[in-house]
Amino acid sequence: MQQTDLESRVLSALDEVMDPEIRGLSLVDLGMVERVEVTDGRVRVELIPTYVGCPALGLMKADVEARVAAVPGVEAVTVEFLRKPLWTSDRITPRGRERLKSVGIAPPCGSGPAVHWTPECPYCGSTQVQRENVFGPTSCRSIFYCSACRNPFEAIKPV
Ligand SMILES: [Zn+2]
């Protein structure tokens, strides 16, 4: 059972690795952790990269390696980004969606082509929102403006 213990410690370490672009959202919240294998202290972490074009993967990998390596009982860490399955915004966990809202970012609704999509305002829940700018601060996000509560907000594109 020691291995299971180690596995859960590794998972909680992964839950501390935050998306460098969205504060407060961990890799686990994003649904990026596909598999964790622990064999005699050697840990293999398989991650599904989020949006293509997000420049943060290298940073994330280094962060994952450092945090997992710091878990007592871990002797070696391998981090791999999988090409399949593809990440979709459906993988964001319910807790991840709540966290997104709490920092004023609308979580993606559904998945599919991102051409016609209307997020809910993270502040008041209204769908009376207008797209301000297709390209937000990163290619993953768009800026919207809520007609109901008059707040601008960012929304994650569904993919
Ligand atoms: Zn609103």
Side-chain angles (χ1 to χ4, degrees):
M1 295 316 280
Q2 207 181 347
Q3 209 171 74
T4 314
D5 264 10
L6 186 54
E7 225 169 85
S8 68
R9 284 204 298 273
V10 167
L11 274 172
S12 34
L14 289 174
D15 201 24
E16 285 166 17
V17 180
M18 295 297 156
D19 184 309
E21 293 178 354
I22 307 171
R23 300 247 158 197
L25 206 67
S26 79
L27 301 192
V28 176
D29 293 328
L30 281 164
M32 288 178 67
V33 180
E34 174 71 0
R35 191 181 312 161
V36 175
E37 276 176 15
V38 180
T39 320
D40 300 332
R42 288 195 308 275
V43 179
R44 181 186 161 83
V45 180
E46 294 181 347
L47 300 175
I48 300 176
T50 51
Y51 307 91
V52 176
C54 269
L57 293 180
L59 282 173
M60 275 189 180
K61 187 178 179 193
D63 203 3
V64 168
E65 283 168 353
R67 283 180 193 267
V68 174
V71 172
V74 171
E75 285 162 23
V77 191
T78 315
V79 179
E80 194 159 330
F81 286 107
L82 303 178
R83 295 191 179 177
K84 280 181 182 175
L86 292 177
W87 185 85
T88 67
S89 38
D90 287 343
R91 294 182 68 104
I92 299 178
T93 64
R95 190 186 66 177
R97 288 168 193 271
E98 286 311 308
R99 286 183 168 179
L100 277 172
K101 280 193 204 168
S102 73
V103 294
I105 298 177
C109 35
S111 59
V115 187
H116 302 294
W117 59 287
T118 308
E120 276 180 14
C121 170
Y123 300 107
C124 71
S126 169
T127 51
Q128 299 297 309
V129 298
Q130 288 148 20
R131 191 187 298 254
E132 286 284 295
N133 179 355
V134 178
F135 300 101
T138 72
S139 56
C140 324
R141 289 183 265 170
S142 289
I143 306 288
F144 283 80
Y145 178 78
C146 176
S147 313
C149 71
R150 299 175 186 278
N151 273 308
F153 65 90
E154 291 174 25
I156 306 235
K157 288 177 189 172
V159 290

